[in-house]
Structures are given as C-alpha cells and as structure tokens.
Coordinates of all heavy atoms in Angstrom, one line a residue:
M1 N -3.3 -22.3 12.8 CA -4.1 -21.8 13.8 C -4.3 -20.3 13.8 O -5.4 -19.8 13.9 CB -3.6 -22.3 15.2 CG -4.4 -21.9 16.3 SD -3.7 -22.6 17.8 CE -4.6 -21.9 19.0
F2 N -3.3 -19.6 13.7 CA -3.4 -18.1 13.7 C -3.4 -17.6 12.2 O -3.0 -18.4 11.3 CB -2.2 -17.5 14.5 CG -2.3 -17.8 15.9 CD1 -1.3 -18.6 16.5 CD2 -3.3 -17.3 16.7 CE1 -1.4 -18.9 17.9 CE2 -3.4 -17.6 18.1 CZ -2.4 -18.4 18.7
P3 N -3.8 -16.4 12.0 CA -4.1 -15.9 10.7 C -2.8 -15.5 9.9 O -2.7 -14.4 9.3 CB -5.0 -14.8 10.9 CG -4.7 -14.3 12.2 CD -4.3 -15.5 13.0
Y4 N -1.7 -16.3 9.9 CA -0.5 -15.9 9.3 C -0.7 -15.8 7.8 O 0.0 -15.0 7.1 CB 0.6 -17.0 9.6 CG 1.0 -17.1 11.0 CD1 0.9 -18.3 11.7 CD2 1.4 -16.0 11.7 CE1 1.2 -18.4 13.0 CE2 1.7 -16.1 13.1 CZ 1.6 -17.3 13.7 OH 2.0 -17.4 15.0
H5 N -1.6 -16.6 7.2 CA -1.7 -16.6 5.8 C -2.3 -15.3 5.3 O -2.0 -14.8 4.2 CB -2.7 -17.7 5.3 CG -4.1 -17.6 5.8 ND1 -4.5 -18.0 7.0 CD2 -5.2 -17.2 5.1 CE1 -5.8 -17.8 7.2 NE2 -6.2 -17.3 6.0
Q6 N -3.1 -14.6 6.1 CA -3.6 -13.3 5.8 C -2.5 -12.3 5.8 O -2.5 -11.4 4.9 CB -4.8 -12.9 6.7 CG -6.0 -13.7 6.6 CD -6.9 -13.7 7.7 OE1 -6.5 -13.4 8.9 NE2 -8.2 -13.9 7.5
I7 N -1.6 -12.4 6.7 CA -0.5 -11.4 6.8 C 0.4 -11.6 5.6 O 0.8 -10.7 5.0 CB 0.2 -11.5 8.1 CG1 -0.7 -11.1 9.3 CG2 1.5 -10.7 8.2 CD1 -0.2 -11.5 10.7
A8 N 0.7 -12.9 5.3 CA 1.5 -13.2 4.1 C 0.9 -12.7 2.8 O 1.5 -12.1 2.0 CB 1.8 -14.7 4.1
E9 N -0.4 -12.9 2.7 CA -1.1 -12.5 1.5 C -1.1 -10.9 1.4 O -0.8 -10.4 0.3 CB -2.6 -12.9 1.5 CG -3.3 -12.6 0.2 CD -4.7 -13.2 0.2 OE1 -5.0 -14.0 1.0 OE2 -5.5 -12.7 -0.7
G10 N -1.3 -10.3 2.5 CA -1.3 -8.8 2.5 C 0.1 -8.2 2.2 O 0.2 -7.2 1.5
A11 N 1.1 -8.9 2.6 CA 2.5 -8.5 2.4 C 2.8 -8.5 0.9 O 3.6 -7.8 0.4 CB 3.5 -9.3 3.1
G12 N 2.1 -9.4 0.2 CA 2.4 -9.6 -1.3 C 1.6 -8.6 -2.1 O 1.7 -8.6 -3.3
R13 N 0.8 -7.7 -1.5 CA 0.0 -6.7 -2.2 C 0.9 -5.6 -2.7 O 2.0 -5.4 -2.3 CB -1.1 -6.2 -1.4 CG -2.1 -7.3 -1.0 CD -2.8 -7.9 -2.2 NE -3.6 -9.1 -1.9 CZ -4.8 -9.3 -2.5 NH1 -5.3 -8.5 -3.4 NH2 -5.4 -10.4 -2.2
N14 N 0.3 -4.7 -3.5 CA 1.1 -3.7 -4.1 C 1.2 -2.4 -3.3 O 1.9 -1.5 -3.8 CB 0.5 -3.3 -5.5 CG 0.6 -4.5 -6.5 OD1 1.6 -5.2 -6.4 ND2 -0.4 -4.7 -7.3
S15 N 0.4 -2.3 -2.3 CA 0.5 -1.0 -1.5 C 0.4 -1.2 0.0 O -0.1 -2.3 0.4 CB -0.7 -0.1 -1.9 OG -1.9 -0.6 -1.5
N16 N 0.9 -0.3 0.7 CA 0.8 -0.3 2.2 C -0.6 -0.3 2.7 O -1.0 -1.0 3.6 CB 1.6 0.8 2.8 CG 3.1 0.6 2.8 OD1 3.6 -0.5 2.5 ND2 3.8 1.6 3.1
K17 N -1.5 0.4 1.9 CA -2.9 0.5 2.3 C -3.5 -0.9 2.3 O -4.3 -1.3 3.2 CB -3.6 1.4 1.4 CG -5.1 1.6 1.7 CD -5.7 2.7 0.8 CE -7.2 2.8 1.2 NZ -7.9 3.8 0.3
E18 N -3.2 -1.7 1.2 CA -3.8 -3.0 1.1 C -3.2 -3.9 2.2 O -3.9 -4.7 2.8 CB -3.5 -3.6 -0.2 CG -4.3 -3.0 -1.4 CD -4.0 -3.7 -2.7 OE1 -3.1 -3.3 -3.4 OE2 -4.8 -4.7 -3.0
F19 N -1.9 -3.8 2.5 CA -1.2 -4.6 3.5 C -1.9 -4.3 4.9 O -2.2 -5.2 5.6 CB 0.3 -4.3 3.5 CG 1.1 -5.1 4.5 CD1 0.7 -6.4 4.8 CD2 2.2 -4.6 5.1 CE1 1.5 -7.2 5.6 CE2 2.9 -5.3 6.0 CZ 2.6 -6.7 6.3
I20 N -2.1 -3.0 5.2 CA -2.7 -2.7 6.4 C -4.1 -3.3 6.5 O -4.6 -3.8 7.5 CB -2.8 -1.1 6.6 CG1 -1.3 -0.6 6.8 CG2 -3.7 -0.7 7.7 CD1 -1.2 0.9 6.7
R21 N -4.9 -3.3 5.4 CA -6.2 -3.9 5.4 C -6.1 -5.4 5.7 O -6.9 -5.9 6.5 CB -6.8 -3.8 4.0 CG -8.2 -4.4 3.9 CD -8.8 -4.1 2.5 NE -9.9 -5.0 2.3 CZ -9.8 -6.1 1.6 NH1 -8.6 -6.5 1.1 NH2 -10.8 -6.9 1.4
F22 N -5.1 -6.1 5.2 CA -5.0 -7.5 5.5 C -4.6 -7.7 7.0 O -5.0 -8.7 7.6 CB -4.1 -8.2 4.5 CG -4.7 -8.6 3.2 CD1 -4.9 -7.7 2.2 CD2 -5.2 -9.9 3.1 CE1 -5.5 -8.1 1.0 CE2 -5.9 -10.3 2.0 CZ -6.0 -9.4 0.9
L23 N -3.7 -6.8 7.5 CA -3.4 -6.9 8.9 C -4.6 -6.7 9.8 O -4.8 -7.4 10.8 CB -2.3 -5.9 9.2 CG -0.9 -6.1 8.6 CD1 0.0 -4.9 8.9 CD2 -0.3 -7.3 9.2
S24 N -5.5 -5.9 9.4 CA -6.7 -5.6 10.1 C -7.6 -6.9 10.1 O -8.2 -7.3 11.1 CB -7.5 -4.4 9.5 OG -8.7 -4.2 10.2
I25 N -7.7 -7.5 8.9 CA -8.4 -8.8 8.8 C -7.8 -9.8 9.7 O -8.6 -10.6 10.3 CB -8.5 -9.2 7.3 CG1 -9.3 -8.3 6.5 CG2 -9.0 -10.7 7.2 CD1 -9.2 -8.5 5.0
A26 N -6.5 -9.9 9.7 CA -5.9 -10.9 10.6 C -6.2 -10.6 12.1 O -6.4 -11.6 12.8 CB -4.3 -10.8 10.4
N27 N -6.3 -9.4 12.5 CA -6.7 -9.1 13.9 C -8.1 -9.5 14.1 O -8.4 -10.0 15.2 CB -6.5 -7.6 14.1 CG -5.1 -7.2 14.6 OD1 -4.4 -8.0 15.1 ND2 -4.8 -6.0 14.3
G28 N -9.0 -9.3 13.1 CA -10.4 -9.8 13.3 C -10.4 -11.3 13.4 O -11.2 -11.8 14.3
S29 N -9.6 -12.0 12.6 CA -9.6 -13.4 12.7 C -9.1 -13.9 14.1 O -9.6 -14.9 14.7 CB -8.8 -14.0 11.6 OG -9.3 -13.7 10.3
T30 N -8.1 -13.2 14.6 CA -7.6 -13.6 15.9 C -8.6 -13.3 17.0 O -8.8 -14.1 17.9 CB -6.3 -12.8 16.2 OG1 -5.4 -13.0 15.2 CG2 -5.7 -13.2 17.5
T31 N -9.4 -12.3 16.9 CA -10.5 -12.0 17.8 C -11.6 -13.1 17.7 O -12.1 -13.5 18.8 CB -11.1 -10.6 17.6 OG1 -10.0 -9.6 17.7 CG2 -12.2 -10.3 18.5
E32 N -11.9 -13.5 16.5 CA -12.8 -14.6 16.4 C -12.3 -15.9 17.1 O -13.1 -16.6 17.8 CB -13.0 -14.9 14.9 CG -13.9 -14.0 14.2 CD -14.0 -14.4 12.7 OE1 -14.4 -15.5 12.5 OE2 -13.8 -13.5 11.8
L33 N -11.0 -16.1 16.9 CA -10.4 -17.3 17.6 C -10.5 -17.2 19.1 O -10.9 -18.1 19.8 CB -8.9 -17.5 17.2 CG -8.2 -18.6 17.9 CD1 -8.8 -19.9 17.6 CD2 -6.7 -18.6 17.4
E34 N -10.3 -16.0 19.6 CA -10.4 -15.7 21.1 C -11.8 -16.1 21.5 O -12.0 -16.7 22.6 CB -10.1 -14.3 21.4 CG -8.6 -14.0 21.3 CD -8.3 -12.5 21.5 OE1 -9.1 -11.7 21.0 OE2 -7.3 -12.2 22.1
T35 N -12.8 -15.7 20.8 CA -14.2 -15.9 21.1 C -14.5 -17.5 21.2 O -15.1 -18.0 22.1 CB -15.2 -15.3 20.1 OG1 -14.9 -13.9 20.1 CG2 -16.6 -15.6 20.4
Q36 N -14.0 -18.1 20.2 CA -14.1 -19.6 20.1 C -13.4 -20.3 21.3 O -14.0 -21.2 21.9 CB -13.6 -20.2 18.8 CG -14.4 -19.7 17.6 CD -13.8 -20.0 16.3 OE1 -12.6 -20.5 16.2 NE2 -14.4 -19.6 15.2
L37 N -12.3 -19.8 21.7 CA -11.6 -20.3 22.8 C -12.4 -20.1 24.1 O -12.4 -21.0 25.0 CB -10.2 -19.7 22.9 CG -9.2 -20.1 21.9 CD1 -7.9 -19.3 21.9 CD2 -8.8 -21.6 22.0
V38 N -13.0 -19.0 24.3 CA -13.8 -18.7 25.5 C -14.9 -19.7 25.5 O -15.3 -20.2 26.6 CB -14.3 -17.2 25.5 CG1 -15.3 -17.0 26.6 CG2 -13.1 -16.3 25.7
L39 N -15.6 -19.9 24.4 CA -16.7 -20.9 24.3 C -16.2 -22.3 24.7 O -16.9 -23.0 25.4 CB -17.3 -20.9 22.9 CG -18.1 -19.6 22.6 CD1 -18.6 -19.6 21.2 CD2 -19.3 -19.5 23.5
I40 N -15.0 -22.7 24.2 CA -14.5 -24.0 24.5 C -14.3 -24.1 26.0 O -14.6 -25.2 26.6 CB -13.2 -24.2 23.7 CG1 -13.5 -24.4 22.2 CG2 -12.4 -25.3 24.3 CD1 -12.2 -24.4 21.3
E41 N -13.8 -23.0 26.6 CA -13.6 -23.1 28.0 C -14.9 -23.2 28.8 O -15.1 -24.0 29.7 CB -12.8 -21.8 28.5 CG -12.5 -21.8 30.0 CD -11.8 -20.6 30.4 OE1 -11.2 -19.9 29.6 OE2 -12.0 -20.2 31.6
R42 N -15.9 -22.4 28.4 CA -17.2 -22.4 29.1 C -17.9 -23.7 28.9 O -18.6 -24.1 29.9 CB -18.1 -21.3 28.5 CG -17.7 -19.9 29.0 CD -18.6 -18.8 28.5 NE -18.1 -17.5 28.9 CZ -18.7 -16.4 28.5 NH1 -19.8 -16.4 27.7 NH2 -18.2 -15.3 28.9
L43 N -17.7 -24.4 27.8 CA -18.3 -25.7 27.6 C -17.5 -26.8 28.1 O -17.9 -28.0 28.0 CB -18.6 -25.9 26.1 CG -19.6 -24.9 25.4 CD1 -19.6 -25.1 23.9 CD2 -21.0 -25.2 26.0
K44 N -16.3 -26.5 28.7 CA -15.5 -27.4 29.4 C -15.0 -28.5 28.4 O -14.8 -29.7 28.8 CB -16.1 -28.0 30.6 CG -16.6 -27.0 31.6 CD -17.0 -27.6 32.9 CE -17.6 -26.6 33.9 NZ -16.8 -25.5 34.3
F45 N -14.6 -28.1 27.2 CA -14.1 -29.0 26.2 C -12.5 -29.1 26.3 O -11.9 -30.0 25.7 CB -14.4 -28.5 24.8 CG -15.8 -28.7 24.4 CD1 -16.4 -27.9 23.4 CD2 -16.7 -29.7 25.0 CE1 -17.7 -28.1 23.0 CE2 -18.0 -29.8 24.7 CZ -18.5 -29.0 23.7
A46 N -11.9 -28.2 27.1 CA -10.5 -28.2 27.3 C -10.2 -27.6 28.6 O -11.0 -26.8 29.1 CB -9.8 -27.4 26.2
P47 N -9.1 -27.9 29.2 CA -8.7 -27.4 30.5 C -8.5 -25.9 30.4 O -7.9 -25.3 29.4 CB -7.4 -28.1 30.9 CG -7.2 -29.2 29.9 CD -8.1 -28.9 28.7
K48 N -8.9 -25.2 31.5 CA -8.7 -23.7 31.6 C -7.3 -23.3 31.4 O -7.0 -22.3 30.7 CB -9.3 -23.2 32.9 CG -9.2 -21.7 33.1 CD -9.8 -21.2 34.4 CE -9.7 -19.8 34.6 NZ -9.3 -18.9 33.6
E49 N -6.3 -24.0 31.9 CA -4.9 -23.6 31.8 C -4.5 -23.6 30.3 O -3.8 -22.7 29.9 CB -4.1 -24.6 32.5 CG -4.3 -24.6 34.1 CD -5.5 -25.5 34.4 OE1 -5.9 -26.4 33.7 OE2 -6.1 -25.2 35.5
K50 N -4.9 -24.6 29.5 CA -4.6 -24.6 28.1 C -5.2 -23.5 27.4 O -4.6 -22.8 26.5 CB -5.0 -26.0 27.5 CG -4.5 -26.2 26.2 CD -4.8 -27.6 25.7 CE -3.8 -28.0 24.7 NZ -3.6 -29.4 24.6
I51 N -6.5 -23.2 27.7 CA -7.2 -22.1 27.0 C -6.5 -20.7 27.4 O -6.3 -19.9 26.5 CB -8.7 -22.0 27.4 CG1 -9.3 -23.3 26.9 CG2 -9.4 -20.8 26.8 CD1 -9.3 -23.6 25.4
D52 N -6.1 -20.6 28.6 CA -5.5 -19.3 29.1 C -4.2 -19.1 28.3 O -3.8 -18.0 27.9 CB -5.2 -19.4 30.6 CG -6.5 -19.1 31.4 OD1 -7.5 -18.7 30.8 OD2 -6.4 -19.4 32.6
T53 N -3.4 -20.2 28.1 CA -2.2 -20.1 27.4 C -2.4 -19.6 25.9 O -1.7 -18.8 25.4 CB -1.4 -21.5 27.4 OG1 -1.2 -21.8 28.7 CG2 -0.2 -21.4 26.6
L54 N -3.4 -20.2 25.3 CA -3.8 -19.8 23.9 C -4.3 -18.4 23.8 O -3.9 -17.7 22.9 CB -4.8 -20.8 23.4 CG -4.3 -22.2 23.1 CD1 -5.5 -23.2 22.8 CD2 -3.2 -22.3 22.1
L55 N -5.1 -18.0 24.8 CA -5.6 -16.6 24.8 C -4.4 -15.6 25.0 O -4.4 -14.5 24.4 CB -6.6 -16.4 25.9 CG -8.0 -17.0 25.7 CD1 -8.8 -17.0 26.9 CD2 -8.7 -16.4 24.5
K56 N -3.4 -16.0 25.8 CA -2.2 -15.1 25.9 C -1.5 -15.0 24.6 O -1.0 -13.9 24.3 CB -1.3 -15.6 27.1 CG -1.8 -15.4 28.5 CD -0.9 -16.0 29.5 CE -1.5 -15.8 30.9 NZ -0.7 -16.5 31.9
S57 N -1.4 -16.1 23.9 CA -0.7 -16.1 22.6 C -1.5 -15.2 21.6 O -0.9 -14.4 20.9 CB -0.6 -17.5 22.0 OG 0.2 -18.3 22.8
C58 N -2.8 -15.3 21.6 CA -3.7 -14.4 20.8 C -3.4 -13.0 21.1 O -3.3 -12.1 20.2 CB -5.1 -14.8 21.0 SG -5.7 -16.3 20.2
N59 N -3.4 -12.6 22.4 CA -3.2 -11.3 22.8 C -1.8 -10.8 22.3 O -1.7 -9.6 21.8 CB -3.3 -11.1 24.3 CG -3.4 -9.7 24.8 OD1 -3.9 -8.8 24.1 ND2 -2.8 -9.5 26.0
E60 N -0.8 -11.6 22.5 CA 0.5 -11.2 22.0 C 0.6 -11.0 20.5 O 1.2 -10.0 20.0 CB 1.5 -12.3 22.5 CG 3.0 -11.9 22.1 CD 4.0 -13.0 22.5 OE1 3.6 -13.9 23.3 OE2 5.1 -12.9 22.1
I61 N 0.0 -11.9 19.8 CA -0.1 -11.7 18.3 C -0.8 -10.5 17.9 O -0.3 -9.7 17.0 CB -0.7 -13.0 17.7 CG1 0.3 -14.1 17.8 CG2 -1.1 -12.7 16.2 CD1 -0.3 -15.5 17.5
K62 N -1.9 -10.1 18.6 CA -2.6 -8.9 18.2 C -1.8 -7.7 18.5 O -1.8 -6.7 17.7 CB -4.0 -8.9 18.9 CG -5.0 -9.8 18.3 CD -6.4 -9.7 18.7 CE -6.7 -9.1 20.0 NZ -8.2 -9.1 20.3
R63 N -1.1 -7.7 19.7 CA -0.2 -6.5 20.0 C 0.9 -6.4 18.9 O 1.2 -5.2 18.5 CB 0.4 -6.7 21.4 CG -0.5 -6.3 22.5 CD 0.3 -6.2 23.8 NE 1.4 -7.1 24.0 CZ 1.3 -8.2 24.7 NH1 0.1 -8.6 25.3 NH2 2.3 -9.0 24.9
M64 N 1.5 -7.5 18.5 CA 2.6 -7.4 17.5 C 2.0 -6.9 16.2 O 2.6 -6.1 15.5 CB 3.2 -8.7 17.3 CG 4.1 -9.2 18.5 SD 5.1 -10.7 18.2 CE 3.8 -11.9 18.0
N65 N 0.8 -7.4 15.8 CA 0.1 -7.0 14.6 C -0.2 -5.5 14.6 O 0.1 -4.8 13.6 CB -1.1 -7.9 14.4 CG -1.7 -7.7 13.0 OD1 -1.5 -6.8 12.3 ND2 -2.5 -8.7 12.6
Y66 N -0.8 -5.0 15.7 CA -1.0 -3.6 15.8 C 0.2 -2.7 15.7 O 0.2 -1.7 15.0 CB -1.7 -3.2 17.1 CG -3.2 -3.6 17.2 CD1 -3.7 -4.4 18.2 CD2 -4.1 -3.3 16.2 CE1 -5.0 -4.7 18.3 CE2 -5.4 -3.6 16.2 CZ -5.9 -4.4 17.3 OH -7.2 -4.7 17.3
A67 N 1.3 -3.2 16.3 CA 2.6 -2.5 16.2 C 3.1 -2.5 14.7 O 3.6 -1.5 14.2 CB 3.6 -3.1 17.1
L68 N 2.9 -3.6 14.0 CA 3.3 -3.7 12.6 C 2.4 -2.7 11.8 O 2.9 -2.0 10.9 CB 3.2 -5.1 12.1 CG 3.5 -5.3 10.6 CD1 4.9 -4.8 10.3 CD2 3.4 -6.8 10.3
Q69 N 1.1 -2.7 12.1 CA 0.2 -1.7 11.4 C 0.7 -0.3 11.6 O 0.8 0.4 10.6 CB -1.2 -1.9 11.9 CG -2.0 -3.0 11.3 CD -3.4 -3.1 11.9 OE1 -3.6 -3.4 13.0 NE2 -4.3 -2.7 11.0
R70 N 1.0 0.1 12.8 CA 1.4 1.5 13.1 C 2.8 1.7 12.3 O 2.9 2.8 11.7 CB 1.6 1.7 14.5 CG 0.3 1.8 15.3 CD 0.5 2.3 16.7 NE 1.3 1.4 17.5 CZ 0.9 0.4 18.2 NH1 -0.4 0.1 18.2 NH2 1.7 -0.4 18.9
S71 N 3.6 0.8 12.3 CA 4.9 0.9 11.6 C 4.7 1.1 10.1 O 5.3 2.0 9.5 CB 5.8 -0.2 11.9 OG 7.0 -0.2 11.1
V72 N 3.8 0.3 9.5 CA 3.6 0.4 8.1 C 2.9 1.7 7.7 O 3.2 2.4 6.7 CB 2.7 -0.8 7.6 CG1 2.3 -0.6 6.1 CG2 3.5 -2.1 7.7
E73 N 2.0 2.2 8.6 CA 1.3 3.5 8.4 C 2.2 4.6 8.4 O 2.0 5.6 7.6 CB 0.2 3.7 9.5 CG -1.0 2.8 9.3 CD -1.9 2.8 10.5 OE1 -1.6 3.4 11.6 OE2 -3.0 2.2 10.4
K74 N 3.3 4.5 9.1 CA 4.3 5.6 9.2 C 5.1 5.7 7.9 O 5.7 6.8 7.6 CB 5.2 5.5 10.4 CG 4.5 5.7 11.7 CD 5.5 5.5 12.8 CE 4.8 5.7 14.2 NZ 5.7 5.4 15.3
T75 N 5.2 4.6 7.2 CA 6.1 4.6 6.0 C 5.3 5.2 4.7 O 4.2 5.2 4.7 CB 6.7 3.3 5.7 OG1 5.6 2.3 5.4 CG2 7.5 2.8 6.8

C-alpha cells in the first residue's frame, strides 16, 4: 500500500543523493495515495472513519520520511 519498495530501492543505491531522490519519490507516491483516498471518501466508496485513519497513516509516514531525508542530507 505504501511506497516502501521505493525506499528500499533507494537504500540500495550507491550514494546519499540517489537515496534522497528515492525518498522524495516515495513522498510523491504517498501524496498521490492521499489524493486517491480523498476521492474515495468523496465518492462514498468507503466510510469516512476508515479514510481518516489511512490519511493519518499517510501523514505520519511522510513526516518520518522527511525526517529521514534531513538525516541523510546531514551525513
């Protein structure tokens, strides 16, 4: 569901710059997922409570990802 494969692929690259690029791609994918979840809610394909839980997870993942990006940039 979440873009873990992009983070794993980036971690296997040869430089921090490439890893940061893949982390950025992962954040973009998470943002796309958030957009899809909002549409699912608006179209009433799933209960609002379930969508809200998933959106909170997306937000938490993006925060952790940004923190990881900042940490990698410092090294």
Side-chain angles (χ1 to χ4, degrees):
M1 180 172 173
F2 295 111
Y4 299 123
H5 67 281
Q6 291 162 334
I7 295 171
E9 185 177 346
R13 297 298 172 139
N14 294 325
S15 71
N16 283 350
K17 184 177 178 181
E18 286 184 274
F19 185 33
I20 291 167
R21 180 174 160 267
F22 276 85
L23 290 172
S24 178
I25 292 168
N27 275 334
S29 295
T30 305
T31 301
E32 286 181 51
L33 176 58
E34 288 173 323
T35 300
Q36 293 167 357
L37 290 169
V38 169
L39 289 173
I40 288 169
E41 181 182 335
R42 287 183 183 174
L43 294 170
K44 301 189 186 306
F45 289 156
K48 181 176 177 15
E49 299 78 25
K50 189 169 208 160
I51 299 300
D52 287 345
T53 300
L54 293 170
L55 287 171
K56 285 179 186 176
S57 294
C58 287
N59 191 33
E60 182 179 347
I61 287 169
K62 287 193 331 185
R63 279 196 322 266
M64 290 187 295
N65 192 339
Y66 284 130
L68 179 57
Q69 279 181 287
R70 285 190 300 274
S71 175
V72 171
E73 287 171 351
K74 290 179 182 178
T75 60

